[in-house]
Amino acid sequence: MTRTLLLHDADAAVAGIEDGSTILVGGFGLAGMPFDLIDALIRQGAADLTIVSNNAGNGAVGLAALLQAGRVRKVICSFPRQSDSYVFDELYLSGRVDLEVVPQGTLAERMRAAGAGIGGFFCPTGVGTPLAEGKESRMIDGREYLLELPIHGDVALIAAHRADAMGNLVYRKTARNFGPVMATAATTTIVQVTEVVPAGTLDPESIITPSIFVDRMVQVRPRHYLVAGAR
């Protein structure tokens, strides 16, 4: 028995996302970015969002488009600025969006901790930097560590390459990135996939995200974007 719901379009998939939600958005730059779900979220209208992602948007598509629409209150990410992050740059420098920088490995582990039911963990990354401010520290075997707390999402928006009808997911190469940990860390996980196959078709040993972590799913056409270096 599965609770995954295969929906007919992305708009139906994001229906009901509330203002003020914390949304985990998959992607490493543009690789694995759930473009169709983000576009649908813009149409849906939810605002005052906290976005958790590796980056803070590229060019004017995907996450950058959500930021440009004025729907985001805060971004939690590891790599906010790059050559084509002009949307985020303008919003942040003008004080219209807040930022919390989290080292990349710590970001992944904080979400993994949320999915695993771990209340926190000690990590040496960030010791002696401004990222340590306000955090509990502890000496363990002669080395200083910081207490990091889990990141829970109200919703996760992720992209997968293939799914079966039950919602078991397979990713494509580096597009996998944060998808698996985000799927476990959110109350509701919504997935866009490019192909849906009958249950039992996927090799069980190849399944990365089991259907128990997937709540809604929509099949979309593949979309290809080039990273824009300038406006």
Side-chain angles (χ1 to χ4, degrees):
M1 195 74 180
T2 178
R3 60 196 179 98
T4 301
L5 182 61
L6 179 60
L7 298 166
H8 56 85
D9 61 33
D11 293 291
V14 303
I17 294 178
E18 298 180 351
D19 291 353
S21 295
T22 295
I23 301 185
L24 316 180
V25 180
F28 190 94
L30 300 179
M33 180 70 65
F35 292 105
D36 292 80
L37 294 177
I38 294 172
D39 290 347
L41 181 60
I42 294 171
R43 295 190 294 269
Q44 190 258 11
D48 196 34
L49 302 173
T50 295
I51 297 297
V52 183
S53 193
N54 185 65
N55 302 77
N58 301 82
V61 298
L63 188 51
L66 184 65
L67 285 158
Q68 196 166 46
R71 305 293 173 74
V72 179
R73 176 184 64 84
K74 181 179 181 179
V75 174
I76 301 173
C77 73
S78 63
F79 192 52
R81 302 192 67 193
Q82 52 211 22
S83 62
D84 63 346
S85 62
Y86 51 83
V87 172
F88 171 80
D89 290 353
E90 291 178 0
L91 291 171
Y92 179 71
L93 292 173
S94 63
R96 288 178 286 168
V97 65
D98 295 328
L99 171 66
E100 179 182 343
V101 175
V102 181
Q104 193 172 84
T106 305
L107 181 69
E109 186 66 6
R110 287 178 66 184
M111 290 185 285
R112 193 196 70 81
I118 296 171
F121 61 93
F122 283 93
C123 179
T125 307
V127 169
T129 75
L131 299 181
E133 293 177 6
K135 294 181 179 179
E136 179 184 339
S137 65
R138 180 175 298 183
M139 296 298 294
I140 302 175
D141 291 333
R143 188 176 186 185
E144 186 176 359
Y145 290 76
L146 302 175
L147 176 63
E148 300 288 352
L149 301 178
I151 297 177
H152 297 270
D154 298 301
V155 177
L157 303 181
I158 64 175
H161 177 54
R162 183 179 290 117
D164 65 17
M166 296 180 65
N168 297 300
L169 306 180
V170 175
Y171 302 86
R172 185 177 185 277
K173 301 180 179 180
T174 58
R176 169 176 170 176
N177 52 71
F178 291 89
V181 292
M182 288 182 171
T184 69
T187 301
T188 300
T189 296
I190 306 172
V191 185
Q192 66 172 64
V193 299
T194 56
E195 183 182 4
V196 178
V197 299
T201 302
L202 299 177
D203 178 357
E205 296 296 330
S206 299
I207 292 170
I208 304 301
T209 298
S211 62
I212 188 64
F213 295 113
V214 178
D215 299 285
R216 306 178 196 171
M217 188 169 65
V218 62
Q219 185 174 2
V220 302
R221 283 184 166 188
R223 296 168 67 174
H224 304 285
Y225 288 96
L226 294 176
V227 178
R231 299 190 192 206

